[in-house]
Amino acid sequence: MTGAGDEAFIAAVKPLVDAVGGEMLPPDEAGTDDVVLSWRGAGVVAVRLPQLADSLDRILAALERGKGMPLADLDRRAKQEVVRALEARGAFAVRHGVETVASALGVSRFTVYNYLNREKGA
């Protein structure tokens, strides 16, 4: 059973868990890949993190919300900025990351690679 302090801790970490696409569950239901968060020496909540591919989809959706339009509707410069931001977050380490980003931006994989190479050459 969680106490009032535990509930405050859970409420405090919930926005972070939601932002990364995680799922909160009781610590006794945690699997080997879940992260148990402790507060005052006891496990209070477990966090099940999403698969990396799901995280990329969440990041792309958040970027669209932030831009206020579909990423495919952005101009070339804005798309390049999106690619730089995604690279900084490790989006292209995910299997099919380039393809996923290219689809979201409405460009070819070749164009995404061009954006990446342009940044490295600059």
Side-chain angles (χ1 to χ4, degrees):
M1 176 170 265
T2 58
D6 295 346
E7 293 298 329
F9 176 77
I10 292 169
V13 299
K14 185 173 182 349
L16 175 62
V17 173
D18 290 345
V20 299
E23 175 188 354
M24 298 174 86
L25 51 146
D28 59 346
E29 294 179 20
T32 56
D33 292 333
D34 298 330
V35 179
V36 176
L37 302 178
S38 295
W39 178 249
R40 298 183 179 154
V44 176
V45 65
V47 177
R48 181 161 295 151
L49 297 172
Q51 298 296 316
L52 287 176
D54 296 336
S55 294
L56 180 54
D57 290 337
R58 289 184 66 81
I59 292 168
L60 289 167
L63 285 169
E64 277 195 349
R65 283 191 305 276
K67 300 286 185 186
M69 68 175 65
L71 297 178
D73 293 346
L74 298 174
D75 64 25
R76 183 176 55 84
R77 184 171 176 227
K79 288 179 182 182
Q80 290 171 334
E81 291 171 5
V82 166
V83 168
R84 280 193 297 272
L86 290 169
E87 183 179 31
R89 294 185 73 176
F92 302 110
V94 175
R95 182 180 169 127
H96 302 297
V98 170
E99 292 86 349
T100 301
V101 170
S103 177
L105 293 175
V107 299
S108 69
R109 290 179 315 143
F110 178 77
T111 298
V112 172
Y113 284 119
N114 258 351
Y115 292 167
L116 290 167
N117 289 334
R118 181 168 296 155
E119 180 63 23
K120 290 176 183 164

